Amino acid sequence: MKTILVTGGAGFIGNCFCKLLLKERPEWKVVNVDSLTYAANPSTIKEELKNPNYVFYKTDIRDREGIFNIFEKEHPNIVVNFAAESHVDRSIENPGIFLETNILGTQILMDACRKYGIERFHQVGTDEVYGDLPLDRPDLFFHEDTPIHTSSPYSTSKASADLLVLAYHRTYELPVTISRCSNNYGPYQFPEKLIPLMINNANHDKPLPVYGEGLNVRDWLYVEDHCRGILSVLEKGRVGEIYNLGGHNEKANIEIVKIILKELGKPESLITYVTDRKGHDQRYAIDPAKAMAELGWQPTIMFKDGIKLTIKWYQEHKDWLDECTSGEYLKYYKKMYGDR
Ligand code: NAD
Ligand code: DAU
């Protein structure tokens, strides 16, 4: 019996991780701490709330007292920190909250771990900390020792958090691990990110806003494969180590958009090229060899299958999408795309 505290467990990846734990580690208690920002649709966790092994606290990781109270009550053995401001475009508009949640929130969690004791603190990191690779060098990949070289306020806040996690390991001997993953896709992703945004727009016959020429490359991994990778790091990873997770599945954005349109039976005339993202990273490409060799982890869902599963899920959960895209989202959309 272990108690695992998952932060950001109402978000896209954190919720998938909680679902995986409840299914595959039924003897563990899962404590989800999430402040339910705009990125969390409360109905995402409605099934989990019925599970007796699952507890939910609506608490902000920046709230030191609130976090310490939860540790006092739950005594977690393991903490996995997913909670973050996660969207690059929002970080360009408003960097402050990214520094607060992603860096200071991480510090508060680790301070609680130091005070109450912990077997493992795991930080969910991103490949964006390595910066980008040129489009004309397909031979280059991100390795765990690739220098940190960030582009956006988002990636800089995530890199800062990673460095702080390593500092707490070195200075206070906190038993930490870090995973750095490539772009995730799958059910329950908030429709501000490329794939669900394009599906939602196509469903409504709205223009599909492709940044620049659509040639930027991302390395896509099905969300459940990411979550299995994190579980492998917890169970087999070495303390103090970083593990890159990715599936060698690089695609240009325009390819993804065309796949979505084809799958939905919508015309390519919906594609609209818009002003590029500021500081737009060209290409991400993870080398996951270390995780594969040391943890025996490897992706199980091929992109051609995963993207079909994903589109089907959004088609069958239009209510969930509608809940996400009312209210604040409309203002956001107008601001980001109105006269782009
Ligand atoms: P998300 O935006 O879908 O979810 C983030 C969750 O964190 C939400 O439920 C939100 O309510 C919660 N949250 C935000 N600020 C909080 C705070 N101050 N206190 C408590 N809860 C808070 O993000 P995601 O895509 O699921 O990403 C999860 C983690 O994985 C992030 O750390 C992100 O950097 C990392 N990551 C994401 C990807 C990706 O492709 N989405 C890839 C690699 C790494
Ligand atoms: O690589 C991991 C990262 O992947 C995570 O750390 C981030 O949390 C996650 O948001 C994601 O970052 P990206 O910036 O790569 O994802 P996003 O879905 O925002 O954009 C993917 C690509 O699509 C990127 O090149 C920008 C482009 N894009 C995005 C949107 C939202 C468009 O062309 N049009 C759009 O409307």
Side-chain angles (χ1 to χ4, degrees):
M1 177 78 191
K2 280 192 191 299
T3 297
I4 178 162
L5 189 152
V6 176
T7 70
F12 166 47
I13 311 173
N15 172 254
C16 178
F17 187 65
C18 292
K19 283 187 163 70
L20 181 73
L21 292 174
L22 293 170
K23 193 167 73 178
E24 299 197 0
R25 296 293 178 276
E27 68 286 9
W28 291 14
K29 179 175 180 186
V30 178
V31 178
N32 173 17
V33 176
D34 195 302
S35 62
L36 301 183
T37 66
Y38 77 90
N41 179 343
S43 68
T44 297
I45 61 170
K46 65 177 190 289
E47 284 309 309
E48 287 69 59
L49 286 170
K50 296 178 196 157
N51 191 312
N53 287 351
Y54 180 89
V55 189
F56 171 59
Y57 290 92
K58 184 177 182 310
T59 302
D60 196 306
I61 60 166
R62 294 169 298 166
D63 171 4
R64 185 173 285 270
E65 201 186 329
I67 292 296
F68 277 46
N69 285 340
I70 296 170
F71 272 71
E72 187 103 42
K73 192 157 174 235
E74 300 288 351
H75 299 291
N77 308 92
I78 300 170
V79 172
V80 182
N81 183 26
F82 289 91
E85 289 292 333
S86 68
H87 192 36
V88 173
D89 291 327
R90 287 187 194 252
S91 83
I92 294 167
E93 291 300 307
N94 182 20
I97 181 79
F98 284 74
L99 310 190
E100 287 175 22
T101 289
N102 299 359
I103 308 173
L104 298 177
T106 302
Q107 182 211 358
I108 288 171
L109 291 169
M110 291 194 295
D111 284 345
C113 291
R114 285 185 61 211
K115 178 165 180 197
Y116 295 99
I118 200 82
E119 285 168 29
R120 181 70 65 83
F121 176 86
H122 182 78
Q123 176 71 0
V124 180
T126 169
D127 62 356
E128 294 201 15
V129 300
Y130 301 121
D132 64 351
L133 297 164
L135 290 176
D136 60 357
R137 289 293 307 273
D139 55 314
L140 297 180
F141 295 92
F142 296 139
H143 308 280
E144 285 80 359
D145 58 2
T146 298
I148 299 267
H149 188 83
T150 56
S151 311
S152 70
Y154 162 70
S155 56
T156 305
S157 69
K158 292 293 290 183
S160 306
D162 282 7
L163 293 176
L164 197 61
V165 169
L166 295 173
Y168 269 56
H169 174 58
R170 167 108 186 211
T171 308
Y172 307 117
E173 297 180 355
L174 194 72
V176 307
T177 39
I178 298 175
S179 52
R180 291 179 177 155
C181 191
S182 59
N183 284 61
N184 284 215
Y185 69 103
Y188 294 105
Q189 187 171 31
F190 192 80
E192 65 190 349
K193 307 284 166 56
L194 179 75
I195 290 179
L197 185 142
M198 297 299 170
I199 295 172
N200 188 49
N201 283 18
N203 274 341
H204 292 94
D205 298 306
K206 276 175 56 179
L208 270 50
V210 173
Y211 298 166
E213 295 176 60
L215 299 178
N216 303 60
V217 169
R218 295 294 182 265
D219 180 2
W220 296 92
L221 184 69
Y222 194 67
V223 61
E224 199 177 304
D225 278 328
H226 180 191
C227 293
R228 287 186 190 283
I230 293 170
L231 191 54
S232 304
V233 175
L234 291 179
E235 296 185 329
K236 298 184 202 152
R238 287 177 294 138
V239 164
E241 292 290 316
I242 297 167
Y243 294 91
N244 280 354
L245 301 173
H248 278 306
N249 182 54
E250 293 176 45
K251 296 249 178 290
N253 296 334
I254 191 68
E255 283 181 71
I256 303 266
V257 171
K258 287 185 178 171
I259 291 171
I260 292 170
L261 286 171
K262 192 165 176 216
E263 198 63 31
L264 292 175
K266 299 283 182 175
E268 289 191 5
S269 56
L270 286 175
I271 295 173
T272 311
Y273 293 94
V274 300
T275 307
D276 210 348
R277 173 184 279 173
K278 290 190 178 81
H280 199 173
D281 281 338
Q282 295 285 305
R283 169 177 168 247
Y284 300 149
I286 278 275
D287 175 3
K290 178 178 172 182
M292 287 178 171
E294 274 191 32
L295 314 173
W297 171 83
Q298 55 177 32
T300 58
I301 312 264
M302 306 275 288
F303 186 79
K304 67 175 177 43
D305 303 322
I307 192 70
K308 285 202 172 104
L309 285 174
T310 302
I311 294 172
K312 183 165 180 281
W313 186 88
Y314 284 103
Q315 294 307 87
E316 289 169 355
H317 293 80
K318 287 191 175 147
D319 290 355
W320 185 90
L321 264 181
D322 289 346
E323 284 158 13
C324 295
T325 53
S326 60
E328 199 264 356
Y329 184 87
L330 295 174
K331 282 192 215 134
Y332 167 80
Y333 199 89
K334 195 162 174 229
K335 186 171 172 208
M336 298 304 282
Y337 298 96
D339 41 42
R340 191 158 185 156

